[in-house]
Amino acid sequence: LLTDLNLPDIDGLEVARNIRGISRNIKTVLHTASVLSAPGVAPSSAIDVVVDKSIRAGELLSLLASLLGDRCEGSPEYGVPA
């Protein structure tokens, strides 16, 4: 799950908590304008990683691949062609 901290009707942290309540196996990345401007938001039981919006696409893809591990390599169920 990749979610932004500031969503219109609910914050991303609450979304992540709700998702983790359904399944502990879903990896979560919280995207925020600035990690420094989001005090108290850190990796937790609901969030695996917090990233700043300045993250480059390649860095984000590498981060997601490392979180997903084997599950993302050539796995059609994750939308990755073999």
Side-chain angles (χ1 to χ4, degrees), residues 56-74:
R56 297 187 182 279
E59 292 173 303
L60 182 58
L61 289 173
S62 292
L63 171 69
L64 295 174
S66 71
L67 282 173
L68 294 174
D70 303 354
R71 296 182 291 176
C72 77
E73 292 185 31

Side-chain angles (χ1 to χ4, degrees), residues 9-30:
D9 296 322
I10 186 172
D11 73 31
L13 189 54
E14 187 63 26
V15 169
R17 285 184 186 127
N18 291 341
I19 294 294
R20 280 285 166 94
I22 296 167
S23 174
R24 309 275 307 150
N25 296 325
I26 296 174
K27 300 296 183 184
T28 57
V29 178
L30 184 68

